[in-house]
Amino acid sequence: MIQDIYPHIYKNAFQTGVTPTDNDIIFSFEEDQVLMKDEHQFYRYHEISKKSSCYYLFSIDNLKFFLADLTSLNHIKVSFRAMRTFENRMLGFAAITAWQLYRWIQDNKYCGKCGHPMDFDQKERAMRCPHCSNIVYPKISPAVIVGITNDKGQILVTKYAHGHYQSYALVAGFCEIGETIEETVKREVKEEIGLDITDIQYYKSQPWSFSSTLLLGFWCKAHGDTPIQMDENELRVARWADRDEAINSLDDASLTTEMIQYYKQGKVV
């Protein structure tokens, strides 16, 4: 998955007073575009103006990453979605994580309570209003990915009705106010495909910066011969697939793809 960058070590502890050195990477964005030196290279600190204001994001190994405005430099623009298959996986992960923080900062320039400009907090990663002390932390929305199998050993695969991702996926959805994550699993399955499920088992999680989400993967069982009742507002395909069937996926970046491969390898029945 995109965050699997071992043996590199991601260090996201909040720090103040961190200054860039020549080889550190400086990210810059415009909406959903990454500003790059060329299609293979991000800007290094020694390549930008020393007058640029650099906001420290995180480190990977001994390499530090910062956010700055590089629009005055000669650059190209690359879609943030291209980062999920960037040739250097570690840098692709860094870029999309930086984009998540950039969007959080852009969305919270002004206080939602009193309208005053927000400042960076000096004690933790947060935006704080100097007028009313309102504090806003980075957006992280919990969501579920659900692998559903039946008595025939098949897996339920879907295709979304909307959005950029049009390869096969699994049932997925966001946690709502007042429900446990297990209740989210049951509700999303019922809403999207009309099935009741049992034997809910947690698999693993994934940070998914493309939607500021923390994905939680689960396996479960659908018993009996209840027909699929697909929500056509959410899905354009919902069907059972056999283990030996070719199920195409966009890449190996996502928890969805890993779970489908996990099933195809016979690791879940």
Side-chain angles (χ1 to χ4, degrees), residues 133-252:
S133 297
N134 179 38
I135 188 166
V136 179
Y137 296 97
K139 177 182 176 182
I140 304 174
S141 302
V144 298
I145 301 290
V146 190
I148 308 164
T149 59
N150 63 13
D151 296 334
K152 299 176 182 178
Q154 298 171 309
I155 189 171
L156 195 139
V157 293
T158 69
K159 288 189 177 182
Y160 302 138
H162 312 286
H164 295 273
Y165 188 84
Q166 291 300 306
S167 298
Y168 277 111
L170 302 175
V171 169
F174 288 97
C175 186
E176 299 286 356
I177 295 294
E179 68 182 4
T180 66
I181 204 71
E182 293 83 4
E183 289 169 339
T184 302
V185 171
K186 293 179 180 179
R187 176 181 55 77
E188 286 293 341
V189 173
K190 189 68 172 178
E191 289 178 354
E192 292 195 4
I193 58 172
L195 299 181
D196 294 310
I197 54 171
T198 59
D199 302 335
I200 298 173
Q201 296 184 26
Y202 174 71
Y203 173 60
K204 67 166 61 172
S205 64
Q206 177 182 34
W208 192 246
S209 293
F210 298 95
S211 55
S212 298
T213 307
L214 177 62
L215 298 173
L216 302 166
F218 289 85
W219 291 104
C220 62
K221 291 281 191 180
H223 296 285
D225 297 320
T226 304
I228 295 169
Q229 300 175 46
M230 185 180 71
D231 180 354
E232 295 182 358
N233 292 318
E234 295 288 335
L235 305 172
R236 62 184 177 91
V237 174
R239 66 177 184 85
W240 294 106
D242 294 314
R243 199 180 304 274
D244 59 357
E245 183 178 333
I247 306 173
N248 66 304
S249 55
L250 182 62
D251 50 51
D252 65 350

Side-chain angles (χ1 to χ4, degrees), residues 92-119:
F93 166 72
I96 197 58
T97 306
W99 180 84
Q100 180 180 358
L101 289 169
Y102 158 78
R103 288 304 311 166
W104 164 64
I105 294 168
Q106 292 298 109
D107 290 346
N108 293 281
K109 287 184 175 181
Y110 299 95
C111 178
K113 290 179 68 176
C114 70
H116 279 71
M118 298 283 272
D119 290 338

Side-chain angles (χ1 to χ4, degrees), residues 37-51:
K37 184 178 179 181
D38 58 49
E39 62 182 6
H40 301 294
Q41 298 183 78
F42 301 100
Y43 276 98
R44 304 280 176 163
Y45 182 61
H46 68 86
E47 299 172 312
I48 74 170
S49 170
K50 297 305 179 284
K51 295 181 181 179

Side-chain angles (χ1 to χ4, degrees), residues 12 34 122 159 216:
N12 64 352
V34 187
Q122 296 302 304
K159 288 189 177 182
L216 302 166

